[in-house]
Amino acid sequence: MTGSDRPRLGVFKFASCDGCQLTLLDCEEELLPLAAELEVAHFAEASSDIRPGPYQLALVEGSVSTPEHLERIRRIRAESRHLVTIGACATAGGIQALRNSADGDAFRATVYAEPEYIESLATSTPISAHVPVDFELRGCPIDRGQLLEVITAFLAGRRPDIPDHSVCFACKRRGTTCLPVARGIPCLGPVTHAGCGALCPAYGRGCYGCFGPSGSTNMPAMIPLLRSEGMSDGDIVRFLHTYNVEDFAALEPPGALEEDG
């Protein structure tokens, strides 16, 4: 196929650290067969050769955090047949969504010497809060195997085969002993979306939820379990309020947790 015949891929960044875009570059030799099937028309992280849409597939990293982002994401959506969000920032607002329940002006004044020059929205929100999204790929960062599955699935015209079960399933598959049961280590594996291969539990560190809530999350049961492992309510709040703060906060039973000093 010539360049004009191949489906066009666009990779776009909003408020984020670039880690999920780098996951695409980290695919390395797996990219070679894809390059023969795709025209990478827009990927500023990898090339200054930027070509306009329309795009068959758009991969969007990062949250909507500024007024300019609002206009830009609508334009990208209009130019893209399929739009897939990649990573916790794009799917849940990211760690920067911690400002959603705080004083954004105070944050800016603390971080920047001249905050009046910083244009930002009061909230950090996922892409799906503003435009229709065809698929969400979770993680901080995303898993490269899952990313390749998503790209090939959309090229083939099928739904990506990404499981929605919890990290606990991955622990069982790799033979990792359950840390809460065997060692009393707090772990968010029972409520976290699989995708990392249960990497942290395999090295004796409890899961801290970087892939966000799974499809079978039972937070009313999870909170008492964390308490039984010695965590205070304030500890639990901080445990949950990281990369996917908005998604986990939405699942907390009202009044179930009280943040301490």
Side-chain angles (χ1 to χ4, degrees), residues 152-236:
T152 54
F154 277 99
L155 282 175
R158 61 175 174 82
R159 187 75 174 169
D161 183 17
I162 303 294
D164 196 24
H165 54 241
S166 74
V167 170
C168 292
F169 283 77
C171 278
K172 296 298 183 185
R173 287 196 178 110
R174 66 184 297 165
T176 299
T177 301
C178 180
L179 297 178
V181 172
R183 297 168 57 184
I185 295 176
C187 179
L188 291 179
V191 296
T192 297
H193 196 289
C196 61
L199 182 64
C200 290
Y203 289 90
R205 203 285 188 198
C207 169
Y208 52 92
C210 62
F211 273 63
S214 71
S216 57
T217 296
N218 184 349
M219 199 59 71
M222 188 70 212
I223 291 172
L225 177 61
L226 293 173
R227 287 186 180 127
S228 72
E229 291 156 3
M231 299 188 79
S232 69
D233 280 8
D235 292 334
I236 296 170

Side-chain angles (χ1 to χ4, degrees), residues 137-157:
L137 187 59
R138 298 178 177 274
C140 187
I142 55 174
D143 174 75
R144 75 176 192 171
Q146 289 192 347
L147 177 61
L148 289 168
E149 162 61 18
V150 165
I151 294 173
T152 54
F154 277 99
L155 282 175

